[in-house]
Amino acid sequence: MKAYLLDPAVAQYVFAHTTPPDPLLEELAKETAEATGDAAGMQISPDQGNFLTMITQLVAPQVVVEVGTFTGYSSVCIARGLTGGRLHCFDVSEEWTSIARRYWHQAGVEDRITLTLGPALETLAAFDQPIDLAFLDADKGNYPGYYELLVNRLRPGGLIVADNTLRRGWVADPAHDETTTVEIREFNDLVIEDPRVTVLMLPVADGMTLIRKN
Ligand SMILES: C[S@@+](CC[C@H](N)C(=O)[O-])C[C@H]1O[C@@H](n2cnc3c(N)ncnc32)[C@H](O)[C@@H]1O
């Protein structure tokens, strides 16, 4: 689990009282680590997976968009929470999403998912359905662009969940000026200044922001 923002003893307690991943998600995490090496750190953590399943169950969306699918962990969790809706996954990598496809099949959720390969800014610009729920987890420099396209397509009351918005807490430390931290800081400022939305930043994992269209 990722717990950059918690005291280690508290983190241990939290994890001991959070439902663990099932064997399929454990196998997906193991295969991702073996197949992708350092890139495996991009995968969401099991507690975030529970969060995404629960938020999907709560929102009961018809149209969900995921920007950044990788090997499929978050998409399996979202798809498992669906009751009748559809998940549209956007990514650039044929190689990584070929792993996702296998796990969608094994999880029995492949019929609820559409994958589009290509730069997500272009895919989103061409996407013309009203969105109920979105998970944003791709290249951080494009978060503002993804955000604008998503908010414009979000129905009132719809929700965007944005990942990595605390960057291990570095966003709050002016001494950290690496590119991704600066990009995320700018994204966080953009969102909180947007009168169209209500924002809740959660110190879960690497920071997850809930953005609800008013
Ligand atoms: C942090 S990972 C996503 C992790 C995933 N949500 C999970 O649970 O495993 C980011 C993904 O964004 C994809 N990506 C990066 N730049 C992109 C772009 N311009 N358009 C679409 N996808 C992009 C990468 O290929 C990568 O799979």
Side-chain angles (χ1 to χ4, degrees):
M1 300 247 192
K2 295 176 185 169
Y4 307 119
L5 304 161
L6 288 180
D7 171 89
V10 177
Q12 204 174 16
Y13 186 89
V14 168
F15 299 151
H17 294 82
T18 294
T19 303
D22 71 352
L24 181 134
L25 288 174
E26 276 184 348
E27 182 57 32
L28 172 53
K30 186 165 167 274
E31 178 171 349
T32 301
E34 288 164 2
T36 72
D38 287 347
M42 296 199 297
Q43 188 168 64
I44 62 159
S45 60
D47 51 335
Q48 291 181 281
N50 289 5
F51 177 83
L52 288 174
T53 302
M54 286 186 190
I55 207 85
T56 307
Q57 289 164 335
L58 284 166
V59 173
Q62 281 304 304
V63 178
V64 188
V65 164
E66 173 177 83
V67 185
T69 295
F70 191 43
T71 58
Y73 199 110
S74 50
S75 53
V76 167
C77 296
I78 293 167
R80 281 177 164 174
L82 286 174
T83 46
R86 187 151 203 88
L87 170 59
H88 300 264
C89 288
F90 303 158
D91 204 289
V92 276
S93 173
E94 166 74 52
E95 184 189 347
W96 286 337
T97 56
S98 67
I99 297 176
R101 282 185 190 280
R102 272 196 284 112
Y103 282 87
W104 295 340
H105 177 71
Q106 284 178 41
V109 296
E110 63 185 340
D111 58 337
R112 305 173 199 176
I113 300 176
T114 304
L115 171 66
T116 305
L117 292 178
L121 280 177
E122 291 173 23
T123 312
L124 253 181
F127 191 80
D128 59 3
Q129 300 178 46
I131 297 170
D132 302 299
L133 176 66
F135 180 49
L136 180 50
D137 190 20
D139 47 324
K140 310 311 167 198
N142 278 324
Y143 266 32
Y146 297 139
Y147 174 72
E148 194 54 37
L149 287 163
L150 287 170
V151 171
N152 286 333
R153 286 156 181 72
L154 212 58
R155 68 162 171 79
L159 204 63
I160 300 170
V161 179
D163 197 20
N164 308 108
T165 51
L166 287 173
R167 292 276 299 156
R168 304 182 182 215
W170 299 337
V171 284
D173 180 353
H176 277 277
D177 61 356
E178 23 353 296
T179 305
T180 307
T181 302
V182 171
E183 288 169 348
I184 287 290
R185 229 179 248 138
E186 288 171 1
F187 170 73
N188 291 337
D189 290 346
L190 174 86
V191 171
I192 197 61
E193 285 161 17
D194 186 349
R196 296 173 295 178
V197 298
T198 304
V199 186
L200 171 64
M201 192 175 252
L202 296 174
V204 174
D206 197 25
M208 296 179 95
T209 301
L210 267 61
I211 305 158
R212 184 182 185 275
K213 188 164 179 181
N214 299 327

